[in-house]
Amino acid sequence: MRSDSMKKGEEKAPHRSLMKALGWTDREIGMPIIGIVSGFNEIIPGHKELGRIVEAVKAGVREAGGNPVSFPVIGVCDGIAMGHTGMKYSLCSRELIRDSIEVMATAHPFDALVFVPNCDKIVPGMLMAAGRLDLPSIFVSGGPMLAGHVRGGDKRGMSLSSMFEAVGRKKAGTMDDEEFLAWENSACPTCGSCSGMYTANSMNCLCEAIGMALPGNGTIPAVYSARERLAKEAGYKIMELLEKDIRPSAILTKEAFENALKVDMALGCSTNTMLHIPAIAHEVGLEINILDANRYSAEVPNICHLAPAGSHHMEDLELAGGVMAVMHELDKRNLLHRDLITVTGGTIGESFKNAKNYDESVIRPIDNPYSATGGLAVLSGTLAPNGAVVKRSAVSPEMMRHTGPARVFNSEEEAIDAIYNSRIKSGDVVIIRYEGPKGGPGMREMLSPTSAIAGMGLDKEVALITDGRFSGATRGASIGHCSPEAADGGPIALVEEGDMIEIDIENLALNLLVDEKTLSERRKNLKIKESPIKSGYLYRYSLHVSSADKGAVLREE
């Protein structure tokens, strides 16, 4: 066993003494030691209940003959961090999570790992660590919260994006104080990851699709007892993976990433997957070009419209059959690699072959999709030579093609002030720059301005483009990850007030309609805005982070 290096032989008697200080018996010391990586904390609603998931995992490990040991990682609640300096720390926390797990699992050589995440950057950070360490590993998330309901309100339910958009409605004077408070009290009724197809749920669903989690991981609600049963099964299963020596390197293959990207398109996942999938692939020595996503999007129809793209929520997807039912639909056109090993010990094809679609209004049949193309699109052109990402499934038909004048802002705060004070008009293209991985630094999410635009009824008339990123809760013509970013001198840094911007999502184009001679003159006189942050982790991050189109990973040099 790997753990023998810290517990076997006379020279390890001091080590065993310390283990006995923990209350371990000789029998427990002799067992495989299973590290349980827990994202538990008391500030993230999706993580507050992870203690019970960890205990269920421990029960499964013990029953299967292992000695479970839990340890924590940090986490950021993107919703609470939204709209202030705290959001600069969200994406960059992914690398801290990965590195801290490497430290813990190397300093204390566990035999295998069970990862218990739930929310946005914790899931990809843990996946990156699993790929780097390559120990037998399995994921079991905390699960999504239930949709919210207001008494006498829409029976379809609401989610966090509803609340962010309510702010825009309140600012526009179309919602009174009483209704606003009722929504605030109802939008997030339980613990769990937010109830729409946002980043957390996107990544937890893709854990299933890529083969690192058991079926049900992405969709069983956090408050269901079935979530605890799933956690116990993960505890049993990690002992099987250890015995069979099935490691992430056998699961996280090029074909598995292709499956994940295709499921991503079918579900209409968060644009943030276009950051995380390349970053996870990077850890296992694979390179994913985000422009390749358009190839999968051309093949795979979008068959789910969960909030914010539609009125369904994660609990609806679970009742309809979950991720395996979505994969079963895709398999009808032979779109997936079936023979890939997963943490079940069998193949992904075996996992979804008997899945059923119980609700064709939630998971549309593949021959009757919402659209013939996938939920995400990567645009490119003179404004974004290296790509920009949009959640196509959440864009209204009116905005699939749009040309309008640029309204230029050098920070999220400047843009929000203009939106709330009615300085943005129908037809405008809001440009928010110097919010990229390097320029932010930290690549903040722009849910506040996009929700304000939607809440004020402008989402079918106004577009927003940024070198920052968006929450999975964003809807409308919101185009992020514009690369190269402004801080690297990308074309977005050259845009001036009133320049015409062409958006053509159908043809995957994003262009700045300014002649090259004019741009060349602007480039000569360009003064890059400097970040005021010159110390601490964010400053070190800004010196080493790669572009968004490369996954915003830290360069090793």
Side-chain angles (χ1 to χ4, degrees):
M1 290 184 287
R2 183 174 183 262
S3 61
D4 285 347
S5 64
M6 66 175 174
K7 67 186 186 184
K8 197 169 185 179
E10 290 183 355
E11 69 279 5
K12 296 301 188 298
H15 304 61
R16 293 193 296 274
S17 291
L18 291 168
M19 293 174 192
K20 289 178 179 180
L22 295 169
W24 293 3
T25 65
D26 286 326
R27 179 181 293 187
E28 286 176 305
I29 293 171
M31 292 175 176
I33 299 179
I34 310 301
I36 302 174
V37 190
S38 170
F40 167 79
N41 65 44
E42 294 183 337
I43 189 62
I44 305 178
H47 285 225
K48 185 173 183 289
E49 299 296 317
L50 290 187
R52 62 186 256 271
I53 304 301
V54 169
E55 289 306 311
V57 171
K58 286 182 176 180
V61 169
R62 288 194 182 102
E63 287 179 41
N67 182 7
V69 182
S70 67
F71 64 91
V73 294
I74 65 166
V76 171
C77 178
D78 280 29
I80 294 175
M82 195 75 64
H84 58 86
T85 301
M87 182 48 72
K88 292 179 181 289
Y89 287 86
S90 174
L91 180 60
C92 66
S93 73
R94 186 186 69 181
E95 271 60 28
L96 285 176
I97 291 164
R98 175 203 60 192
D99 291 350
S100 67
I101 296 168
E102 176 191 355
V103 169
M104 286 294 294
T106 306
H108 316 94
F110 302 117
D111 295 299
L113 294 170
V114 181
F115 293 86
V116 184
N118 211 23
C119 290
D120 291 17
K121 308 311 170 295
I122 298 93
V123 185
M126 287 186 177
L127 281 166
M128 292 165 74
R132 175 180 289 188
L133 291 164
D134 200 29
L135 299 174
S137 299
I138 191 169
F139 279 66
V140 56
S141 77
M145 69 171 62
L146 299 179
H149 294 273
V150 175
R151 289 175 179 172
D154 192 332
K155 289 181 169 41
R156 295 175 300 179
M158 62 196 300
S159 60
L160 184 65
S161 56
S162 309
M163 197 62 234
F164 271 94
E165 291 181 17
V167 175
R169 290 179 57 187
K170 184 71 164 53
K171 296 283 187 182
T174 60
M175 178 179 277
D176 62 26
D177 291 344
E178 183 179 355
E179 185 180 12
F180 190 68
L181 181 60
W183 279 45
E184 180 182 322
N185 290 340
S186 306
C188 300
T190 73
C191 280
S193 50
C194 296
S195 58
M197 187 52 76
Y198 310 154
T199 304
N201 293 325
S202 296
M203 293 306 302
N204 285 322
C205 287
L206 295 186
C207 278
E208 283 187 56
I210 210 167
M212 288 297 293
L214 297 174
N217 178 73
T219 55
I220 297 173
V223 294
Y224 284 14
S225 297
R227 178 59 61 176
E228 290 183 47
R229 297 198 297 271
L230 183 72
K232 288 178 183 176
E233 292 292 344
Y236 304 149
K237 191 60 68 173
I238 192 62
M239 299 305 292
E240 291 181 28
L241 295 171
L242 177 60
E243 181 183 359
K244 295 177 181 177
D245 197 30
I246 298 174
R247 299 170 182 258
S249 55
I251 298 172
L252 297 174
T253 62
K254 179 176 180 290
E255 292 77 14
F257 281 102
E258 289 178 359
N259 277 356
L261 284 164
K262 289 177 180 180
V263 173
D264 189 336
M265 296 303 162
L267 287 171
C269 289
S270 165
T271 52
N272 283 309
T273 62
M274 292 295 100
L275 285 171
H276 300 322
I277 291 177
I280 297 160
H282 177 76
E283 291 293 339
V284 295
L286 297 173
E287 182 176 349
I288 291 178
N289 187 328
I290 62 166
L291 292 172
D292 289 343
N294 290 330
R295 176 159 51 89
Y296 302 120
S297 182
E299 296 176 15
V300 181
N302 177 226
I303 59 176
C304 293
H305 264 193
L306 281 79
S311 59
H312 299 131
H313 297 86
M314 295 305 296
E315 63 202 75
D316 302 312
L317 181 58
E318 164 63 14
L319 290 171
V323 174
M324 291 302 112
V326 172
M327 296 186 82
H328 185 76
E329 286 292 338
L330 299 186
D331 190 55
K332 291 177 180 178
R333 288 191 187 172
N334 298 315
L335 290 170
L336 299 172
H337 301 283
R338 300 186 189 93
D339 298 328
L340 307 180
I341 195 74
T342 76
V343 293
T344 64
T347 65
I348 190 67
E350 291 168 338
S351 292
F352 65 65
K353 72 177 180 180
N354 294 321
K356 294 180 181 179
N357 183 353
Y358 293 96
D359 189 341
E360 293 186 352
S361 71
V362 177
I363 304 172
R364 284 199 175 182
I366 197 162
D367 293 327
N368 182 33
Y370 284 100
S371 63
T373 52
L376 298 181
V378 181
L379 315 183
S380 58
T382 56
L383 185 58
N386 294 347
V389 183
V390 63
K391 191 168 186 173
R392 173 165 45 191
S393 60
V395 179
S396 63
E398 297 92 329
M399 294 300 292
M400 294 297 283
R401 290 186 177 181
H402 179 77
T403 300
R407 303 296 311 279
V408 183
F409 304 96
N410 287 334
S411 71
E412 178 187 14
E413 289 81 2
E414 292 178 16
I416 290 174
D417 181 71
I419 295 166
Y420 284 161
N421 287 286
S422 302
R423 297 201 301 274
I424 301 301
K425 306 300 181 185
S426 178
D428 286 349
V429 178
V430 176
I431 302 287
I432 304 179
R433 61 192 180 191
Y434 294 105
E435 292 285 6
K438 176 180 177 180
M443 202 179 185
R444 288 192 288 183
E445 285 186 351
M446 302 288 155
L447 180 56
S448 293
T450 58
S451 297
I453 288 170
M456 298 177 83
L458 294 172
D459 56 297
K460 296 180 181 180
E461 304 167 15
V462 170
L464 191 152
I465 301 170
T466 181
D467 53 8
R469 60 191 179 88
F470 296 117
S471 164
T474 289
R475 65 183 175 94
S478 302
I479 301 165
H481 308 196
C482 191
S483 301
E485 63 175 290
D488 277 334
I492 193 171
L494 304 176
V495 181
E496 294 186 359
E497 190 81 5
D499 286 349
M500 297 304 289
I501 306 293
E502 177 192 52
I503 300 166
D504 187 346
I505 296 173
E506 292 177 356
N507 292 302
L508 308 173
L510 182 63
N511 291 304
L512 170 59
L513 301 182
V514 176
D515 64 85
E516 184 53 42
K517 181 179 178 182
T518 301
L519 291 178
S520 180
E521 286 299 314
R522 290 182 187 176
R523 197 170 284 112
K524 290 177 186 176
N525 299 314
L526 177 64
K527 293 183 179 179
I528 301 291
K529 176 189 172 186
E530 286 194 22
S531 169
I533 296 172
K534 297 297 183 184
S535 62
Y537 175 59
L538 271 179
Y539 177 65
R540 297 196 304 276
Y541 178 85
S542 72
L543 297 178
H544 296 282
V545 69
S546 71
S547 177
D549 63 291
K550 302 296 184 186
V553 298
L554 292 182
R555 295 182 290 262
E556 297 294 337
E557 77 272 10

